[in-house]
Amino acid sequence: MSPIRTTLRRAGLVAALTTAGVLTASGAAFAHVTVHPESYAKGATDGVLTFRVPNEEDTASTTKVQVFLPTDHPVLGVLVTPQAGWAAKVTTTKLKTPVKTDDGTITDAVSEITWTGGRIRHGEYQDFDVAFGQLPDSTDELSFKTLQTYSDGNVARWIEVTPKGGEEPENPAPVLALTAKAAGEDGSDEGSTSDSSSGSGTASRSGSSPAAAAKSSASSSDSTARGLGIAGLIVGVLGLAAAGFALARGRAARS
């Protein structure tokens, strides 16, 4: 094989591998289960959490989703939004430490929600909405460990918790950050009623509505994927340019 053809093959291989690696990395960012919005105020009331479940398998569909809610810092007043084609089973657990509220002492809380009967195919995702009455105010974040079962029997376990200041694990659990309350907020029903009158509920107190936060997160992820894709294309073009330069030099030498 001539030196020119060898150079062309090497340049093309480098460009192809680099582009594939960039595109694979951008796809991996969307593979795991996430919760939206990404944050709420501590003790927030009357809000909605959306669990977004994408299907990362090429040859199998997602047929079952199990979300486990923490019971050491329980989410109170959980209600599940009906999803077309999916049946939801809600499991409650007796709390080790009852929670005192203005409406009385809560001794039981939802610990697991399981959706079955539907199907999420390759290249698709499904949003599962869960309404809550009140979030805890005694922790900085909530982790929702999730099991995703596929039609071929495989189970993706999104149960790893990211250590503070550490890198995201391979199979991260959806995490909701709980932020400090804004000045003047006491988590009372009066404040909740005032916010809900504008149609945004507690989400307004945390800075944005659940839908707006989810849209912002999706937009940010989409921009990241676009940037990675463009970077891959640029690398490919540079590889082809290098190959063309090598070819021109070879022809000049032969002349």
Side-chain angles (χ1 to χ4, degrees), residues 134-207:
Q134 183 175 342
L135 295 177
D137 59 6
S138 56
T139 183
D140 293 329
E141 65 179 26
L142 295 175
S143 295
F144 300 93
K145 296 182 178 181
T146 303
L147 300 182
Q148 181 178 5
T149 303
Y150 293 94
S151 55
D152 59 5
N154 289 328
V155 179
R157 302 177 182 276
W158 309 107
I159 60 175
E160 297 178 345
V161 179
T162 304
K164 290 186 177 180
E167 295 183 357
E168 183 178 76
E170 183 178 355
N171 300 297
V175 175
L176 176 71
L178 296 180
T179 61
K181 298 177 183 179
E185 289 184 9
D186 58 3
S188 65
D189 291 339
E190 181 179 354
S192 177
T193 302
S194 175
D195 286 330
S196 63
S197 64
S198 64
S200 58
T202 307
S204 297
R205 301 205 301 273
S206 63

Side-chain angles (χ1 to χ4, degrees), residues 16 30 70 118 145 152 184 215 226 228:
F30 301 97
K145 296 182 178 181
D152 59 5
K215 182 177 180 181
R226 262 197 225 104
L228 290 172

Side-chain angles (χ1 to χ4, degrees), residues 36-37 40 47-50 200 203 208-215:
H36 303 275
Y40 256 112
V48 175
L49 297 176
T50 299
S200 58
S208 62
S209 67
K215 182 177 180 181

